[in-house]
Amino acid sequence: MSQVKSSSKSDPNYKVIAENRRARFDYAIEEDIECGIILEGSEVKSLREGGANIAESYAAVEDGELWLVNSYVAPYKQAKTFQHEERRRRKLLVSRKQLADLWNATQRKGMTLVPLVMYFNHRGMAKIKIGVAKGKKLHDKRETAAKRDWSRQKQRLLKDHG
């Protein structure tokens, strides 16, 4: 019986490149979608070294295509003539049905497409997980912080008195 390979820490090819930790605090994520990303050679090598930031970036559906805007990929020092632009728009790869769903979510429902994590999957391909999100209000953020603090305090109490 063959075993399905999961993206765990034991998988040598799976590697998180960049993570947007603030996204789950600022946005209420309703669903997430795994997308492929079109990269140049020097960008892939730079990502393998871990030089990326997706904290200020977002995704947008424009002219029937999905784009990652304002993501940072550090320059690759060994690439002399074929150097990439650091903050260029990068095309994301999704199916037509997913693209139509994303367009409906952003244009009709007023949702935002937020990149959550960029990683190399178990096959060594660069992927990015996009979250379909709605922005949180200030009181929602306070509520999230209060829940997080209470769960920490509860764990501490259980550890001390458990």
Side-chain angles (χ1 to χ4, degrees), residues 67-100:
W67 294 92
L68 181 64
V69 182
N70 201 30
S71 64
Y72 174 79
V73 177
Y76 185 62
K77 292 177 180 57
Q78 282 81 3
K80 302 272 189 262
T81 54
F82 298 107
Q83 191 60 265
H84 64 271
E85 192 178 323
E86 296 168 10
R87 290 206 179 263
R88 73 177 183 91
R89 292 167 21 118
R90 293 166 179 88
K91 188 174 178 181
L92 300 178
L93 305 171
V94 291
S95 69
R96 286 185 183 169
K97 183 180 182 328
Q98 286 177 328
L99 187 65

Side-chain angles (χ1 to χ4, degrees), residues 14 16-35 53-59 68 92 112-119 127-134:
Y14 182 82
V16 174
I17 303 163
E19 191 173 4
N20 189 355
R21 293 172 184 249
R22 187 115 179 118
R24 296 203 188 272
F25 182 75
D26 289 337
Y27 298 96
I29 311 291
E30 293 196 2
E31 69 173 303
D32 55 353
I33 297 169
E34 183 182 64
C35 305
N53 186 0
I54 58 171
E56 302 98 31
S57 62
Y58 63 95
L68 181 64
L92 300 178
T112 306
L113 302 177
V114 182
L116 302 174
V117 62
M118 184 185 285
Y119 59 95
K127 300 285 183 179
I128 189 162
K129 194 168 281 193
I130 299 290
V132 179
K134 188 173 271 301

